[in-house]
Each structure stands twice: as structure tokens, then as C-alpha cells.
Amino acid sequence: MPEDQLAGLAAVSVVAVVEQAYFSLQVVYARRKHSVSPPATSGPPEFDRVYRAHVNCTEYFPIFLTVLWTAGLFFHQGVSSLCGLLYLYSRYCYFHGYRQSPQQRLAPLYLGAKVLWALIGFSSLGIVCSLLRVYAGVDLVDLVFS
Amino acid sequence: MPEDQLAGLAAVSVVAVVEQAYFSLQVVYARRKHSVSPPATSGPPEFDRVYRAHVNCTEYFPIFLTVLWTAGLFFHQGVSSLCGLLYLYSRYCYFHGYRQSPQQRLAPLYLGAKVLWALIGFSSLGIVCSLLRVYAGVDLVDLVFS
Amino acid sequence: MPEDQLAGLAAVSVVAVVEQAYFSLQVVYARRKHSVSPPATSGPPEFDRVYRAHVNCTEYFPIFLTVLWTAGLFFHQGVSSLCGLLYLYSRYCYFHGYRQSPQQRLAPLYLGAKVLWALIGFSSLGIVCSLLRVYAGVDLVDLVFS
Ligand SMILES: N[C@@H](CCC(=O)N[C@@H](CS)C(=O)NCC(=O)O)C(=O)O
Ligand SMILES: N[C@@H](CCC(=O)N[C@@H](CS)C(=O)NCC(=O)O)C(=O)O
Ligand SMILES: N[C@@H](CCC(=O)N[C@@H](CS)C(=O)NCC(=O)O)C(=O)O
């Protein structure tokens, strides 16, 4: 069963989904607390920050999943999954930081961005090796380690 | 051809894409009808509801696809595909309910949420079994059914 | 290593991620230039256009990735990857067109939409063939070409 080799990436993906569901619920609660009924999307500053924190996490969610899987498939599943967990942790801090004040969203934002760039780097490395092997018959891993 | 085993999930994914394209077009038509030219995003209440219905479906689209595929790969393709179709139906009702009034978005929203939680549950179950088999050598399916 | 067969699709996906990161950074720079601090999302018209250009590209990003991969897996990896690059080019033009004026977003938007519909068509064709082969034992490719 080849899926077994992907169970780590799939586990991180499901945790990511649950985190997004949690952020959504925070918006629902904030809507109730501050009486901001849909389709409205703005209210008191506390509401706006929770609302924007959710939107920002949502914007990066598909980007994150894409590089989680490309890095996991073409570079290393374990490394990629650990980076994934770190990213999800940074997003949790981002959300709760942003809720306090826009200033407090910055440190976790930078951490999350670093993790994403690392995953982009791992993916690129793995994919370039793979393309060279298939289309140019060159095995970089072999060349470097022998 | 291993892709064959994924054709059901892929079919549901493409239907989901077509549904999103349909929702986008509704926003384009609503923009014309109510003369709300980009980059503006608000106008009369009828426009705002169509606009928000699209945004909300868009926010949940990557979440849906993720659990559709994890449940399909690690639990059961057929069950997951059927849940997927039910979810897309709930989103269709959500969109047209929300367009009428914010109140009418609620029933389909709850249905859709239930389906998502079911897919999250199936995924988790399948992934935990898979992780146990690979990393602990324990086969839960065997243990339970023998 | 079966991943090799997907390296082209993965490469296009990573380019897509980098493009989204580039669009995000443009919003960050526009926020600084026009002093629009989060959680605010509107400011002078130039800011609004950059902001909306990013949002619109973000909305279509998961749709694009889905059909890129379904077309690549079920129809043809090379054709799908080339369509993918064309789509990313159209989005680059969309972003910079929209930044100039709403009018200038239209031509690249139509190009991008055409590419997406092509990918939807290729995916559907490939998936229908696959479903017929698995569930009805009919091989369309054989029937047509012999
Ligand atoms: N972006 C959503 C996140 C939470 C959510 O999904 N809310 C549900 C229940 S209140 C909804 O239908 N929101 C309406 C909307 O997004 O316009 C929001 O602003 O409400
Ligand atoms: N969110 C989009 C959904 C529909 C869409 O993709 N519209 C195209 C053609 S009107 C567009 O360029 N929209 C500009 C924008 O999203 O700011 C909207 O609000 O218009
Ligand atoms: N949609 C984002 C795109 C760029 C981005 O990710 N910005 C970071 C750093 S300024 C952020 O935390 N934005 C706050 C927000 O999206 O509300 C924005 O409007 O700012």
C-alpha cells in the first residue's frame, strides 16, 4: 500500500484542516459576541482583527499544503512533516497574536514565512534532482555522495 | 495504471471546480446587474450576499479537497466520493440560500459542516491505522476483524 | 520512484507558489507605501487595486492547482504543465494590469479563464476514460485508435 509512505504528510494535512476549522469557529464566536451578522465583515477593532487573522491564514493554507506535499514527495517526508507542524504552530501564534494587536502578529508571521521558504527550497531541490534524473539521465544524489 | 483507483476522487474534484466557476460567474453577473465595478466589493444588500456566499465557499474549497483526498486515500474512495457529492450539494444550497437571505444559508451550512467533520473523522481513522501499521507494526484492521 | 512522473506538475506547482508569494509581497509593499496598516484593507485606489488583484489570484489558486493535477494525472503531464505555465503567465499579466487600471485586468483574465476551461476539459476527458475502463471495462482510447 503506497499510501503508507504518505501517512505523515496526510496527518499534518488533517491537523491543518482542523486548525482552519478552529479559526473559522473563532470568527463565528466573534460575530456573535460583537453582533456582526453576515454579510457584514467589519465591526469593532477586536472583531476586525479576528476576522483578518482568519482570512490571512486561509490565504496561505493552499500554499502551505502545496509545498508540504511537494517537499514531502520529492525531498523527505519526515523533514517536511516536521516543518509542517512548525508552520501550523506559527499560524496558531499568529492568530492569537493578531487577535491581541496587529503588532503581535509579526513575530509568528516571520517564523511562518521562514518555514514556507524552507519548504519551497526543499521542494525545488528535490524536483530539480528528479527532473535531471528523468530528462537528462543525471543522478545528482549519486554524483554528490560518491 | 494506479491513477484508475483515484478516478472517483478526481471526478468529484473536477465537479467541485466547476461549481466554484459557477459561483464566480454569479458574482460577475451580480457585479453587472448592480453596477459594482472592481475593485469595489460592496453594493446593495443583494450584491453583498452573493459576493459573501462566493467568498465563503471559496474559503472552504481547499479544506474540502484536502479531506476528500485524505479520506479517499486512507479510508475508502467510494464513501469519500459520495460524501464529496453531498458536500457540493450543500454548498449549492448554501449559495442560493444566502443569496435569498442570510438566514437561509444556515441549514445548508450545518449540513456541509457535518459532512466535513465526517470526512475529517474518516481521514483520521485511516491515517492512524496507516501510521500504526508502518511505525508500530500493528494492524488495527486485522486485530478488530479477526 | 513513481514521483518522477509527476516532477513536471510539481515544478509548475512550486512556480505557482512562488508567484503567489510575489503577489503577497506586492501587497506588503503597497501597505507600506500607502500607509494602510492591518487590519485595514482599503486605502487609495492604487492600493485597492493591488489588494484586490492579490485576492483574486488567491481565490483561483486552489482551483488552478486542482485542474493542473487532474489533467496531468489523467490526461497528459506535459500538456498540463505547459497549460499551467501559460496560466501563471496570464496571472502575472492580470496582476500588473489590474494594478494599472481595472480595465487592463480583463484581457489576461480571459486568457487565464480559457486555460482553466481547457484544463477542466482535459481532466474530464481523462477521468471519464478512466472511469469507463475501471467500472465498465470499456477502453475508449483503444476503441478510437484501432
Ligand atoms: N469567513 C467566515 C468564517 C466563519 C464562517 O464560515 N461563518 C459562517 C457561519 S457565521 C458563514 O456562513 N459566514 C458568512 C460569511 O462568510 O459571509 C465569516 O466571516 O463568517
Ligand atoms: N471575487 C471575484 C469573483 C469573480 C471574478 O473572478 N471576477 C473577475 C471579473 S469581474 C475579476 O477580475 N474580479 C475583480 C476582483 O476580484 O477584484 C469578484 O469579486 O469579482
Ligand atoms: N492579504 C494580505 C497579503 C499580504 C500579507 O500576508 N501580509 C501580512 C504582513 S503585512 C499580514 O499579516 N497581513 C495582515 C492581514 O492580512 O490582515 C494583506 O492584506 O496584508
Side-chain angles (χ1 to χ4, degrees), chain A residues 52 60 66 74 98 105 130 133, chain C residues 3-4 24 38-39 51 65:
Chain A
R52 284 302 310 170
Y60 285 86
T66 305
F74 290 89
Y98 204 166
R105 84 184 194 290
S130 199
R133 195 166 45 229
Chain C
E3 283 84 42
D4 280 352
S24 284
Y51 177 79
L65 280 185

Side-chain angles (χ1 to χ4, degrees), chain B residues 73-94:
Chain B
L73 284 172
F74 291 88
F75 185 76
H76 191 279
Q77 193 194 180
V79 171
S80 177
S81 302
L82 288 180
C83 286
L85 292 176
L86 188 59
Y87 176 80
L88 295 179
Y89 170 73
S90 81
R91 277 295 165 174
Y92 183 87
C93 298
Y94 176 89

Side-chain angles (χ1 to χ4, degrees), chain A residues 48-49 52 59-60 62-63 66-67 70 73-74 98 102 105 117 120 123-124 127 130-131 133-135, chain C residues 1 3-4 6-8 10-11 13-14 17-18 20-21 24 38-39 41 51 54 58 61-62 65 77:
Chain A
D48 290 354
R49 291 198 302 272
R52 284 302 310 170
E59 283 176 5
Y60 285 86
I63 290 180
T66 305
V67 290
T70 49
L73 284 172
F74 290 89
Y98 204 166
R105 84 184 194 290
W117 284 113
I120 290 175
S123 301
S124 307
I127 292 169
S130 199
L131 288 173
R133 195 166 45 229
V134 185
Y135 298 106
Chain C
M1 209 182 158
E3 283 84 42
D4 280 352
L6 310 171
S13 304
V14 173
V17 163
V18 172
Q20 281 296 125
S24 284
T41 54
Y51 177 79
H54 170 248
T58 304
F61 177 73
L65 280 185
Q77 193 194 178

Side-chain angles (χ1 to χ4, degrees), chain B residues 24 27 31 38 51 54, chain C residues 52 56 59-60 94 98 105 109:
Chain B
S24 284
V27 179
R31 281 187 177 283
Y51 177 78
H54 171 249
Chain C
R52 284 303 310 170
N56 197 278
E59 284 176 5
Y60 284 86
Y94 176 89
Y98 205 165
R105 83 184 194 289
L109 181 77

Side-chain angles (χ1 to χ4, degrees), chain A residues 17-133:
Chain A
V17 164
V18 172
E19 186 176 63
Q20 281 296 125
Y22 167 79
F23 294 156
S24 285
L25 285 174
Q26 302 307 306
V27 179
V28 174
Y29 301 150
R31 282 187 176 283
R32 282 192 205 142
K33 191 172 159 197
H34 302 286
S35 309
V36 182
S37 298
T41 54
S42 62
E46 301 91 74
F47 175 79
D48 290 354
R49 291 198 302 272
V50 171
Y51 177 78
R52 284 302 310 170
H54 170 248
V55 169
N56 198 279
C57 295
T58 303
E59 283 176 5
Y60 285 86
F61 177 73
I63 290 180
F64 163 65
L65 281 185
T66 305
V67 290
L68 172 75
W69 282 83
T70 49
L73 284 172
F74 290 89
F75 184 76
H76 191 277
Q77 193 195 177
V79 172
S80 175
S81 302
L82 288 179
C83 286
L85 292 176
L86 187 60
Y87 176 80
L88 295 179
Y89 169 74
S90 81
R91 277 294 165 175
Y92 182 87
C93 298
Y94 176 88
F95 190 90
H96 287 290
Y98 204 166
R99 160 176 265 168
Q100 299 300 318
S101 77
Q103 177 58 31
Q104 289 181 52
R105 84 184 194 290
L106 289 176
L109 181 77
Y110 296 145
L111 172 61
K114 266 176 215 152
V115 178
L116 285 186
W117 284 113
L119 286 170
I120 290 175
F122 294 150
S123 301
S124 307
L125 207 72
I127 292 169
V128 166
C129 283
S130 199
L131 288 173
L132 282 177
R133 195 166 45 229

